Amino acid sequence: MEGDQEIKQALEDLINHKTIITTMQEETPFKQVSSSAPAMWSLLFASGYLKIVNQLDRDTYELTVTNKEVHDMLIDFVKDWFPTESRSGNG
């Protein structure tokens, strides 16, 4: 996926109860979700996993997780998605 390191950092920020700033697309073809970070964030928002904290301009938003259950799910997702060494600060 484009910007894998940026996505890892954004997921880490969300897990650490921080917000992320990203563009989102109102209409996202499903096939773009695996190749486009804005498409992935758009899908997570549309699915109710993320919520808007602030709209910075027409298509740029500050996002955070919606609740504790989503936060916990995100932790499990990251554990499965990324190798252990990337979470230990060595990657």
Side-chain angles (χ1 to χ4, degrees):
M1 182 178 295
E2 69 184 39
D4 277 348
Q5 190 59 39
E6 292 172 19
I7 291 170
K8 287 179 186 179
Q9 182 61 54
L11 288 169
E12 188 174 311
D13 287 345
L14 290 170
I15 286 170
N16 289 316
H17 303 283
K18 297 179 182 177
T19 60
I20 61 168
I21 295 175
T22 187
T23 58
M24 289 197 300
Q25 305 164 340
E26 187 173 322
E27 294 182 18
T28 302
F30 192 72
K31 66 181 180 176
Q32 288 183 358
V33 172
S34 65
S35 62
S36 165
M40 183 183 78
W41 302 127
S42 298
L43 178 65
L44 289 172
F45 169 73
S47 301
Y49 294 106
L50 299 176
K51 66 180 178 181
I52 295 172
V53 174
N54 192 17
Q55 183 173 1
L56 304 174
D57 64 32
R58 189 174 70 85
D59 61 353
T60 304
Y61 299 88
E62 183 178 10
L63 304 173
T64 191
V65 295
T66 54
N67 57 44
K68 182 183 180 327
E69 290 78 14
V70 171
H71 177 262
D72 293 346
M73 180 216 57
L74 195 58
I75 290 171
D76 292 339
F77 172 74
V78 169
K79 285 179 186 175
D80 292 340
W81 193 15
F82 296 113
T84 304
E85 65 271 8
S86 70
R87 290 192 314 274
S88 66
N90 298 328

